[in-house]
Amino acid sequence: FHEAAEMAINCFGQYAHNNQPSHHILYMFAHGGCGAAGQKYIQHTLATLYGEFGYSGDEDNGEMSSWYVLSALGLYALAPGSGEYQIGAPPLFPRMVVRRQGGKDLIVERSAELRSEQLNAALGTEYLVADRALWNGEELDLRVSAANVQYRQLLAGGTLSFA
């Protein structure tokens, strides 16, 4: 019964974040050439469906928390087991560092020059949008299609910059 109440409160459009099988949907925007829209919806979800109140939905094996942490870093395992992480929205903070014991750090940062766009006029809230990302200096275009980084590359450390 709690899921029906959560869907009534926490959904926008047909997207129901409290239902884990739908978490990939916001990342599919990039595959349809609408990366900027996906970035705004990802940030909207981070800002409104997680907070001091907790989060919407059940915590099934850490999936809700994992979605938040990865999305806050600007990454998502769209196809688990594929060895790839899709580049999502600019990171939640200007600079985030994942420290690896005995390994090179993973640094995720966003440019102060990113543009802001409204999700829609009714909400009025603006979110940051990146047209490109740089993985260790290699440019990835986020405007045309989805961009990915190999998991082994992330493990080796480096810098992901949203520009």
Side-chain angles (χ1 to χ4, degrees):
F1 292 108
H2 70 90
E3 289 173 340
E6 288 169 351
M7 286 188 73
I9 297 168
N10 297 320
C11 297
F12 38 95
Q14 294 295 311
Y15 182 70
H17 189 73
N18 58 305
N19 187 16
Q20 292 89 343
S22 66
H23 281 186
H24 70 286
I25 292 171
L26 303 181
Y27 288 87
M28 294 303 293
F29 279 86
H31 293 270
C34 302
Q39 290 179 40
K40 292 182 283 185
Y41 276 111
I42 291 165
Q43 292 174 79
H44 179 69
T45 302
L46 288 166
T48 61
L49 300 183
Y50 292 82
E52 292 179 11
F53 58 87
Y55 40 78
S56 66
D58 294 337
E59 179 62 282
D60 294 340
N61 300 313
E63 201 279 337
M64 296 295 285
S65 299
S66 296
W67 188 94
Y68 181 86
V69 171
L70 287 171
S71 294
L73 282 166
L75 297 166
Y76 185 69
L78 182 65
S82 69
E84 294 184 330
Y85 278 74
Q86 184 173 319
I87 308 296
L92 191 59
F93 300 101
R95 188 169 195 267
M96 298 176 75
V97 179
V98 178
R99 301 221 184 269
R100 299 193 55 245
Q101 185 175 356
K104 189 175 175 190
D105 292 344
L106 170 62
I107 300 166
V108 183
E109 57 192 15
R110 65 179 193 227
S111 168
E113 305 299 319
L114 292 178
R115 72 179 185 281
S116 294
E117 291 184 4
Q118 283 188 341
L119 179 60
N120 65 48
L123 293 173
T125 306
E126 293 198 354
Y127 297 102
L128 298 174
V129 175
D131 290 330
R132 63 189 180 102
L134 296 150
W135 170 249
N136 289 333
E138 178 187 337
E139 187 167 328
L140 305 167
D141 190 348
L142 303 177
R143 293 171 295 172
V144 180
S145 186
N148 298 299
V149 176
Q150 296 292 317
Y151 178 63
R152 62 179 156 68
Q153 292 175 300
L154 296 170
L155 280 179
T159 302
L160 177 62
S161 301
F162 287 79

